[in-house]
Amino acid sequence: MEEIVDIRSLNISVASTGRSIIQADRLSLKPGDRVAVIGPSGSGKTVFGLALLGLLRTVAPSLCVQADLHWAGNINRPGFGVGYVPQGTTGHLNPYIRLGRQLVEAALSARGAERCGDGRGLQPEINRLLLRLGLDDPAAVCRAYPQELSGGMQQRLAIAMALLVRPRLL
């Protein structure tokens, strides 16, 4: 079975001291695999996820990433589908854009706008997903701004965005 990602070596260290904060020798993920990254607050779970997605260099230039990662395909191309659910949604939902538009944008960016047009055809899928996630009034949620919802509802919106990309890796 094709591996989605194969980590042969990952070392994340603080650039100024060279001290390793995360090391992974070997991890292979195939479709259907489930892996949990667990640990206490501050142990590096988010740092590991950001390094895996190649985002760490942009958000934390003070960290040095040495990685031998192999992806099955280009994770940056539309249709590959990597869904990311942030731990906190405060910095991940735009307070100036209605949530319905943010959900559509998440799907369009992952699937390619040429296949989805302006996104109006995505509304039935979005409504079904929001209902599955326990948001009983999808129309009201889509009209709302993030700050009009509770933290738990915002977290479910972040999960919805991650699922709308139809991820091969979540």
Side-chain angles (χ1 to χ4, degrees):
M1 189 178 284
E2 173 191 19
E3 292 174 338
I4 296 172
V5 64
D6 182 27
I7 300 172
R8 297 186 185 148
S9 167
L10 176 65
N11 185 11
I12 303 170
S13 58
V14 179
S16 60
T17 65
R19 185 179 69 85
S20 289
I21 58 172
I22 294 177
Q23 289 182 308
D25 294 326
R26 183 77 178 170
L27 175 64
S28 294
L29 300 174
K30 296 179 177 72
D33 282 353
R34 290 181 174 91
V35 175
V37 179
I38 60 172
S41 180
S43 64
K45 299 176 299 288
T46 298
V47 169
F48 174 75
L50 293 173
L52 184 68
L53 295 174
L55 298 174
L56 192 56
R57 289 180 180 93
T58 20
V59 297
S62 62
L63 297 177
C64 179
V65 180
Q66 296 170 329
D68 185 7
L69 302 176
H70 301 274
W71 287 90
N74 180 354
I75 65 169
N76 296 316
R77 79 173 195 283
F80 183 83
V82 174
Y84 173 70
V85 181
Q87 187 171 1
T89 57
T90 305
H92 296 277
L93 295 172
N94 188 326
Y96 303 107
I97 300 175
R98 293 185 191 275
L99 291 164
R101 188 69 214 160
Q102 292 185 58
L103 290 165
V104 167
E105 291 295 328
L108 289 176
S109 68
R111 299 178 192 183
E114 66 281 352
R115 290 183 284 167
C116 298
D118 63 3
R120 279 181 244 180
L122 294 169
Q123 200 58 53
E125 179 184 355
I126 289 170
N127 290 346
R128 283 190 302 275
L129 180 57
L130 294 179
L131 286 168
R132 275 184 43 216
L133 292 171
L135 298 166
D136 295 331
D137 190 350
V141 169
C142 287
R143 284 192 306 272
Y145 291 94
Q147 59 273 21
E148 297 175 322
L149 301 180
S150 70
M153 291 173 84
Q154 289 179 20
Q155 190 66 43
R156 285 181 267 173
L157 263 290
I159 293 167
M161 285 182 177
L163 293 173
L164 280 168
V165 306
R166 296 181 180 158
R168 292 181 67 196
L169 177 66
L170 178 63

